[in-house]
Amino acid sequence: MTDEGAAPGMLRPGGRTARVRTAVLRAAEDALIECGFDGVDLAEIARRAEVGKTTVYRRWRTPQVLVADLLVDMAEQSVPRTETGSLDGDLRANARLVVRTLTDERQGVLFKAVIAAATTDQRTAEALHRFYATRIDEWSPCVDQAVERGEAPEGTDASEVVRAVSAPLYYRFLVSGDPLNETVADESAHAAACATRAGAYVRRSAR
Amino acid sequence: MTDEGAAPGMLRPGGRTARVRTAVLRAAEDALIECGFDGVDLAEIARRAEVGKTTVYRRWRTPQVLVADLLVDMAEQSVPRTETGSLDGDLRANARLVVRTLTDERQGVLFKAVIAAATTDQRTAEALHRFYATRIDEWSPCVDQAVERGEAPEGTDASEVVRAVSAPLYYRFLVSGDPLNETVADESAHAAACATRAGAYVRRSAR
DNA sequence: GTCATAACGGGACTCCAGTTTCATTTGCGC
DNA sequence: GCGCAAATGAAACTGGAGTCCCGTTATGAC
């Protein structure tokens, strides 16, 4: 092992390095929104970020890795959760937020690009999974509260319910291409609430 | 309209053209499975198909268009549907089939590649949507039969139920990265059945 | 069988994404 | 503020994906 005191090989994440990172991530986000994932060109991103292209290639190597880094950044920004006081209301609020995000001109394209990147690279996929794990954890409490209020059976797996709300929306977004709108959001939330009340999401260990 | 008898400009889809198409589609399928979508190289596919690369570039132009053509081909191959005699059983059979497909070494990679291609190209996306519309239509009858047996309420939207079974599975496959196995399949089918019985998928026009 | 031409194929060519080189700047420990 | 190495940047370089040209094959109408 090369274990020296004031060793070479130590990182130096101070001022400039951090500035370059944020500049490149911003440029990458813009580029993804404008061109989609396959339109991304690291040299072009370097130009936009006003950074040498060598730097971008050296630090991130591939578009996938850059997207993975962007996802780490995105996961840190939290979206406030609305509380309506009922399971149906909370799930509906969540479903509508998802639909608004996916149908938003900029965000929808960005999410498609990010998901496309994740299908072709394991590390990007892991970053994506962590991103959604974060989002799901943020919304789970509304199901736990419903359990406390007696709206849902004891032992209900909160994150499973939250996933059930999003799943049909992402299925339409990525796979079937069926329309996404507020009605669909409400129906998805309602179906999840029905299944929850029927005990479909009670953890097996608690049955 | 250019309606001539023995006109120039007419297609000639006979023997050789068709042979080249199937050879290239087979090679494309293999390449997608081995390298994923971003690893696809039209020249490489031409080599495998023992076809001039000029031909591949001329007829399909981009990997996305080639994948779209492959999807048209895949949509034509029908998968037999199992009938168990109960809504829960039929939906479970469907869910298990989907999980088996997505977790299969070859098919799973192929589906990821195809979905990735669809996120970056409109025409590929349309081919993908048609592919799933076909699959969903094939499974819808089992829900209609359940309605006839009185297991599900009158006016239930069969294709909506079938989508509801697949959605959580594809969500895990593409977005959250949570595990896919037979237990998950059964739970997804059960949740869809619960929501169906609760009337969550009754068409609005029929309520 | 004959002919016109759609479709294919080999190979040279182009162009640019990605790499390498090396000089310059800047963070950071003292 | 001094010095060293981490980090960046400009420019030259390279390899291969995609295009072009033009001769060859073989389909389908007669």
Side-chain angles (χ1 to χ4, degrees):
Chain A
M1 297 204 194
T2 55
D3 188 5
E4 313 176 44
M10 285 187 70
L11 293 180
R12 188 190 282 180
R16 184 166 61 165
T17 300
R19 266 197 313 279
V20 167
R21 176 170 182 256
T22 47
V24 171
L25 290 187
R26 294 278 166 279
E29 190 176 326
D30 291 348
L32 281 175
I33 289 166
E34 281 178 36
C35 317
F37 179 67
D38 68 333
V40 163
D41 169 17
L42 295 194
E44 163 72 8
I45 288 177
R47 262 202 331 99
R48 291 192 196 220
E50 293 178 306
V51 155
K53 77 167 177 170
T54 315
T55 302
V56 176
Y57 278 108
R58 190 165 30 217
R59 284 186 62 177
W60 288 279
R61 187 114 272 186
T62 68
Q64 280 90 342
V65 176
L66 182 52
V67 170
D69 201 7
L70 182 61
L71 275 165
V72 171
D73 208 58
M74 286 169 67
E76 283 161 12
Q77 298 153 27
S78 160
V79 182
R81 172 165 61 88
T82 2
E83 298 204 10
T84 65
S86 76
L87 178 64
D88 281 85
D90 286 356
L91 296 185
R92 202 178 305 130
N94 183 9
R96 287 184 179 185
L97 175 63
V98 171
V99 166
R100 245 181 289 126
T101 304
L102 297 183
T103 54
D104 176 82
E105 185 62 41
R106 288 170 52 88
Q107 303 227 321
V109 176
L110 179 61
F111 273 79
K112 241 175 203 155
V114 160
I115 291 165
T119 60
T120 66
D121 181 78
Q122 188 53 40
R123 289 198 297 169
T124 310
E126 280 159 23
L128 185 72
H129 302 161
R130 259 177 271 123
F131 172 81
Y132 278 102
T134 306
R135 285 282 174 281
I136 290 168
D137 284 348
E138 282 174 359
W139 280 87
S140 295
C142 76
V143 179
D144 294 328
Q145 288 164 9
V147 173
E148 285 163 27
R149 286 192 303 262
E151 278 193 87
E154 206 70 39
T156 296
D157 186 334
S159 61
E160 198 60 42
V161 176
V162 177
R163 274 192 285 264
V165 172
S166 287
L169 307 174
Y170 277 89
Y171 182 79
R172 284 165 176 261
F173 183 60
L174 295 169
V175 177
S176 79
D178 295 306
L180 273 177
N181 52 47
E182 204 165 71
T183 307
V184 170
D186 292 354
E187 285 172 355
S188 177
H190 179 62
C194 285
T196 302
R197 280 187 288 268
Y201 300 121
V202 173
R203 275 184 287 271
R204 267 178 320 298
S205 55
R207 271 177 207 161
Chain B
M1 300 218 183
T2 56
D3 189 4
E4 313 176 44
M10 284 188 73
L11 294 179
R12 188 189 283 180
R16 184 165 62 166
T17 301
R19 268 198 310 281
V20 167
R21 175 169 182 256
T22 47
V24 170
L25 290 187
R26 294 278 165 279
E29 190 176 324
D30 290 348
L32 281 176
I33 289 166
E34 280 179 36
C35 317
F37 179 67
D38 68 333
V40 163
D41 171 15
L42 296 193
E44 164 71 9
I45 289 177
R47 261 201 333 99
R48 292 190 196 222
E50 294 178 305
V51 155
K53 76 167 176 169
T54 314
T55 302
V56 176
Y57 278 107
R58 193 167 25 219
R59 284 187 61 177
W60 289 280
R61 186 112 272 185
T62 68
Q64 279 90 344
V65 176
L66 181 52
V67 169
D69 201 6
L70 183 61
L71 275 165
V72 171
D73 207 58
M74 286 169 66
E76 282 161 13
Q77 297 154 29
S78 161
V79 182
R81 173 163 62 88
T82 2
E83 298 204 9
T84 65
S86 77
L87 178 64
D88 280 86
D90 286 356
L91 295 185
R92 202 179 304 130
N94 182 9
R96 286 183 180 186
L97 175 63
V98 171
V99 165
R100 245 181 289 126
T101 304
L102 297 183
T103 54
D104 176 83
E105 185 63 41
R106 288 171 51 87
Q107 303 226 321
V109 176
L110 179 60
F111 273 80
K112 246 180 198 148
V114 159
I115 291 166
T119 60
T120 67
D121 181 78
Q122 189 54 40
R123 288 198 296 172
T124 310
E126 280 159 24
L128 185 72
H129 302 162
R130 257 177 273 123
F131 173 81
Y132 279 101
T134 306
R135 285 282 173 281
I136 289 167
D137 283 347
E138 282 174 358
W139 281 86
S140 296
C142 76
V143 180
D144 294 329
Q145 288 165 9
V147 173
E148 284 163 26
R149 286 192 302 263
E151 277 193 88
E154 206 70 39
T156 295
D157 186 335
S159 61
E160 197 61 42
V161 175
V162 177
R163 274 192 284 263
V165 172
S166 287
L169 308 174
Y170 278 89
Y171 182 78
R172 284 163 176 262
F173 182 61
L174 296 169
V175 177
S176 79
D178 295 306
L180 273 177
N181 52 48
E182 204 165 72
T183 308
V184 170
D186 291 354
E187 286 172 355
S188 177
H190 179 61
C194 285
T196 302
R197 279 188 287 269
Y201 301 120
V202 173
R203 274 184 286 271
R204 268 179 317 299
S205 55
R207 272 179 206 160

